[in-house]
Amino acid sequence: MTFSIRETTTTSQAMVIFSMLLCIWPDRIDMPTNAVQSAKVNGPSSFYHYGCDAVDDRGWGCGYRTIQTLCSWVLFGRVVDPSEEVPSLLRIQQELVALGDKQRVFIGSHEWVGSVEASFLLDQLYGVQCRLIHVRCDEDLTEHVIPDLLHHFNNSRAPVMMGGNNDAASKCVLGVCYSENVYYILILDPHYYGPTLSIEEACSGGWLAWRSINSFDNNSFYNFCLPQSQTYVREWPEPGCVAGILERGQG
């Protein structure tokens, strides 16, 4: 099976897609009631989701979309070559084949990708190394990943990719907090399909939401990809993040 779009996307086309997506500022998201001990992503990222670039990837593309969101955070946060862009679904597949992780039949397929592939891509494309955490289905997420997420969002402060087996739906984690004896993580869900949302629509629709750590599947293992990047060297203006990234391409 092949993609329903051209196999190449120009930089200008990629930037148009990039500029049309919802820009997520975690500091503007309401916290759970009585939340304490919170830590979140530093800076903005773009909400990549099913169909956002005219490719109908429902049912197989959620991992690719989370990878794209992580890539957008990297590009927002540092001075890069203006020709650099968030990779398309096809390019993600091509890069994984070039790295030797996948066979050539992977290109144009609907095969899923996860946190391990995300770590390969971020290193290959941007030189961002990642830490991988595996939590077995018989292990408690609060005990085995919350301390790592708190440390991560207080230090590297990059978005995190999350996925599992029984719970195979990829998710982007943007923060963690503690409220009324329960830990919550801030989830950006790439399974949305439709026109670009406002931040209010994303929150009201549950596509951007704080989820109790107890709401996840106890019968699923989970993998987490934590980019080890501290690329932010400036204060971010509010709310002109998209304008800023586009201006870099004009110079």
Side-chain angles (χ1 to χ4, degrees), residues 122-188:
L122 289 172
D123 190 12
Q124 172 71 6
L125 295 178
Y126 311 117
V128 174
Q129 296 185 337
C130 300
R131 180 186 176 201
L132 292 171
I133 298 175
H134 176 73
V135 182
R136 299 193 308 265
C137 59
D138 61 343
E139 293 180 322
D140 180 61
L141 285 172
T142 299
E143 178 181 354
H144 290 277
V145 79
I146 288 295
D148 293 286
L149 291 178
L150 283 168
H151 181 269
H152 175 80
F153 286 121
N154 279 311
N155 291 274
S156 296
R157 304 191 68 187
V160 170
M161 183 168 178
M162 173 186 181
N165 57 345
N166 280 11
D167 179 6
S170 179
K171 306 165 188 67
C172 185
V173 183
L174 299 178
V176 60
C177 74
Y178 184 73
S179 174
E180 299 179 346
N181 299 316
V182 176
Y183 278 100
Y184 291 80
I185 57 177
L186 181 58
I187 295 293
L188 182 63

Side-chain angles (χ1 to χ4, degrees), residues 19-34:
S19 67
M20 291 174 63
L21 298 176
L22 172 62
C23 183
I24 303 294
W25 289 84
D27 286 343
R28 299 168 65 186
I29 309 303
D30 291 338
M31 302 287 289
T33 304
N34 300 323

Side-chain angles (χ1 to χ4, degrees), residues 23 33 37 42 46 48 54 68-69 80-81 94 101-102 141 172 186 190 197 211 217:
C23 183
T33 304
Q37 198 181 1
N42 179 33
S46 292
Y48 280 81
Q68 289 179 314
T69 294
V80 295
D81 184 332
Q94 291 170 332
D101 180 62
K102 306 291 184 185
L141 285 172
C172 185
L186 181 58
L197 299 172
R211 280 188 58 181
D217 189 347

Side-chain angles (χ1 to χ4, degrees), residues 232-249:
Y232 285 84
V233 294
R234 61 184 181 274
E235 293 296 322
W236 279 101
E238 285 276 2
C241 52
V242 171
I245 193 74
L246 291 176
E247 287 172 3
R248 291 209 302 248

Side-chain angles (χ1 to χ4, degrees), residues 184-233:
Y184 291 80
I185 57 177
L186 181 58
I187 295 293
L188 182 63
D189 186 347
H191 297 84
Y192 169 72
Y193 183 81
T196 299
L197 299 172
S198 67
I199 194 72
E200 293 79 13
E201 290 169 333
C203 291
S204 64
W207 307 109
L208 178 61
W210 288 99
R211 280 188 58 181
S212 164
I213 201 69
N214 298 327
S215 68
F216 294 95
D217 189 347
N218 292 329
N219 296 313
S220 179
F221 73 67
Y222 286 99
N223 289 326
F224 295 80
C225 174
L226 285 65
Q228 304 299 290
S229 179
Q230 298 185 32
T231 60
Y232 285 84
V233 294

